[in-house]
C-alpha cells in the first residue's frame, strides 16, 4: 500500500491555485459553464433570426442579433480560455465582446419603448427614442475604442478606463430612459399629457389609445429587460472600477450571475415577448377601430 504525504497534496493544491491566479482572469473559466452559456446564446440568436425573418423586424439585426453574435464570440473566447487559460488573446476577445455585447440590446429596448409610446400616446412622453438610440450608439463606440486600446496596449488600464467611461455613460442613459419611461406610463394612466397636441400613430385626432393585452405584455417584458440590463451595467461598472486585479473581476461566479445570466434572461425575454408579434402592424389602432365599431352598433340597437 502506497502512503500519501499530506504535505505533498497540499503543495500540489497550492501550486494549482497559484497557477490559476496567474491567468489574466485570476481563475480558469469553468469549461461546462462556458459551453452552457454558449449553447443558450446560440439557441436564442438562432430563434431571433427565424423570428425576425418571419415577422420582418429587420431592425433587430443591428440590435438583438448583433448582441447575440457578440455574446457568442465572448463566450467562445471564454471556452478557449478554459482550455488555454494563459492565452491573452482569448481574454481580450471575451472582455471586449461581453462588455460591448449588451449595448445593441439596450438600443433595441429604446426602439421598443418608442413604438409603445407612439401607439399609446406620444402626448404623455418627454422622451425622444431617437435621441436615446443616438446616445446608445455613442456608448457603443466609446466601449469599442476602449476594448481596442486594452487589446493592443502593454498596460490595459487606459483602455479599461475608456470602457469604464462607456459603461458609466450607458448606465446614465438607461437611468434617464427608465425615469422617462416611468413618467410616461404614470402620465398615461393618470391621463396627464405633457403635450396634448401630439397624437397616436395613424390617428391624427386621437391623443390617447387603449392599452391592449399585447401592448401590456410588451411593456411588462420591457420593464423586466431594462431592470436586468441595469443590474448588469452596475456590475460591470463596479468590476472596472475595482481594477483588472480586483476581487470582482477575479471572481468567476459574479461574472456568471451578473453578466452571463442577466443577458441570457434579457435576450430570451424578447424571444418570448417578441415585438414582431406584440407590436405587429397597427394592433392598437385596429383595436380602437373595433371598439368604435362595436360602440356604434350598440348605439344603433
Amino acid at each position: 500500500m502506497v502512503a500519501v504525504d499530506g504535505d505533498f497534496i497540499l503543495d500540489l493544491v497550492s501550486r494549482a491555485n497559484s497557477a490559476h491566479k496567474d491567468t489574466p482572469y485570476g481563475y480558469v473559466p469553468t469549461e461546462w459553464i462556458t459551453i452552457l452559456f454558449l449553447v443558450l446564446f446560440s439557441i436564442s440568436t438562432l430563434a431571433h433570426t427565424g423570428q425576425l425573418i418571419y415577422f420582418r423586424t429587420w431592425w433587430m439585426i443591428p440590435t438583438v442579433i448583433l448582441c447575440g453574435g457578440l455574446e457568442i464570440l465572448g463566450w467562445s473566447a471564454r471556452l478557449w480560455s478554459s482550455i488555454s487559460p494563459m492565452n491573452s488573446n482569448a481574454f481580450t476577445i471575451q472582455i471586449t465582446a461581453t462588455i460591448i455585447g449588451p449595448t445593441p440590446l439596450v438600443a433595441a429596448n429604446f426602439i421598443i419603448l418608442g413604438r409603445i409610446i407612439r401607439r399609446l400616446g406620444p402626448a404623455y412622453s418627454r422622451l425622444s427614442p431617437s435621441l436615446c438610440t443616438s446616445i446608445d450608439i455613442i456608448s457603443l463606440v466609446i466601449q469599442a475604442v476602449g476594448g481596442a486600446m486594452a487589446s493592443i496596449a502593454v498596460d490595459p488600464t487606459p483602455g479599461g478606463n475608456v470602457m469604464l467611461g462607456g459603461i458609466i455613460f450607458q448606465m446614465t442613459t438607461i437611468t434617464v430612459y427608465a425615469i422617462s419611461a416611468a413618467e410616461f406610463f404614470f402620465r398615461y394612466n393618470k391621463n396627464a399629457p405633457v403635450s396634448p397636441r401630439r397624437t397616436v400613430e395613424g390617428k391624427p385626432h386621437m391623443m390617447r389609445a387603449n392599452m391592449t393585452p399585447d401592448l401590456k405584455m410588451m411593456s411588462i417584458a420591457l420593464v423586466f429587460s431594462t431592470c436586468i440590463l441595469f443590474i448588469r451595467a452596475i456590475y460591470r461598472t463596479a468590476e472596472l472600477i475595482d481594477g483588472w486585479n480586483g476581487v470582482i473581476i477575479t471572481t468567476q461566479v459574479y461574472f456568471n450571475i451578473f453578466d452571463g445570466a442577466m443577458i441570457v434572461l434579457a435576450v430570451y425575454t424578447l424571444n418570448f415577448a417578441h415585438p414582431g408579434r406584440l407590436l405587429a402592424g397597427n394592433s392598437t389602432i385596429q383595436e380602437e377601430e373595433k371598439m368604435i365599431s362595436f360602440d356604434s352598433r350598440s348605439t344603433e340597437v
Side-chain angles (χ1 to χ4, degrees):
M1 186 174 181
V2 179
V4 178
D5 188 351
D7 292 337
F8 175 71
I9 294 176
L10 289 174
D11 183 58
L12 287 177
V13 172
S14 177
R15 289 182 183 181
N17 289 336
S18 177
H20 289 179
K21 290 180 180 179
D22 290 337
T23 69
Y25 298 87
Y27 60 86
V28 176
T30 305
E31 186 175 357
W32 74 265
I33 290 178
T34 63
I35 293 173
L36 174 63
F37 278 108
L38 186 55
V39 169
L40 288 173
F41 281 117
S42 297
I43 291 172
S44 176
T45 304
L46 184 62
H48 272 299
T49 302
Q51 287 174 310
L52 77 85
I53 292 172
Y54 180 79
F55 291 114
R56 304 179 69 82
T57 49
W58 309 118
W59 58 269
M60 298 187 79
I61 295 176
T63 54
V64 180
I65 298 299
L66 178 57
C67 169
L70 287 168
E71 290 293 337
I72 291 170
L73 175 63
W75 283 94
S76 295
R78 286 181 72 86
L79 176 59
W80 182 8
S81 293
S82 72
I83 301 168
S84 303
M86 299 304 295
N87 191 303
S88 60
N89 289 331
F91 175 79
T92 301
I93 291 171
Q94 71 85 30
I95 194 74
T96 304
T98 58
I99 283 181
I100 295 174
T103 305
L105 191 61
V106 174
N109 279 5
F110 292 161
I111 293 171
I112 292 168
L113 177 63
R115 297 194 174 194
I116 291 173
I117 289 173
R118 286 195 290 272
R119 299 288 176 84
L120 292 179
Y124 301 95
S125 175
R126 299 180 195 273
L127 187 68
S128 170
S130 59
L131 176 61
C132 284
T133 304
S134 300
I135 293 173
D136 197 58
I137 292 171
I138 294 171
S139 171
L140 175 63
V141 171
I142 293 173
Q143 293 172 67
V145 169
M149 289 175 61
S151 65
I152 63 177
V154 176
D155 179 10
T157 302
N161 290 337
V162 174
M163 283 194 287
L164 174 61
I167 285 286
I168 293 175
F169 188 62
Q170 184 186 76
M171 189 167 65
T172 303
T173 305
I174 295 174
T175 302
V176 173
Y177 150 81
I179 292 172
S180 300
E183 184 194 21
F184 165 76
F185 285 112
F186 176 80
R187 285 183 173 275
Y188 173 82
N189 288 326
K190 295 294 183 180
N191 196 19
V194 175
S195 178
R197 294 182 179 180
R198 298 177 186 173
T199 58
V200 174
E201 182 181 57
K203 285 287 183 179
H205 304 295
M206 182 185 291
M207 184 182 72
R208 184 180 190 277
N210 286 339
M211 175 74 79
T212 64
D214 283 350
L215 282 175
K216 186 176 182 179
M217 183 180 294
M218 189 75 258
S219 299
I220 293 171
L222 188 63
V223 170
F224 176 72
S225 177
T226 300
C227 287
I228 56 181
L229 286 173
F230 190 71
I231 291 170
R232 178 261 174 192
I234 292 173
Y235 161 72
R236 294 314 294 248
T237 300
E239 176 194 57
L240 291 174
I241 288 175
D242 197 35
W244 294 99
N245 297 312
V247 174
I248 297 175
I249 200 171
T250 57
T251 304
Q252 182 178 196
V253 68
Y254 293 163
F255 182 84
N256 293 338
I257 293 173
F258 295 112
D259 190 283
M262 294 297 105
I263 306 306
V264 163
L265 288 173
V267 294
Y268 274 91
T269 295
L270 292 184
N271 280 124
F272 291 105
H274 197 274
R277 176 173 61 86
L278 300 178
L279 299 177
N282 293 321
S283 56
T284 304
I285 298 168
Q286 290 168 359
E287 186 73 19
E288 290 291 332
E289 289 175 346
K290 287 179 182 178
M291 292 183 67
I292 292 170
S293 175
F294 177 78
D295 289 341
S296 62
R297 289 176 184 175
S298 300
T299 304
E300 290 174 2
V301 174

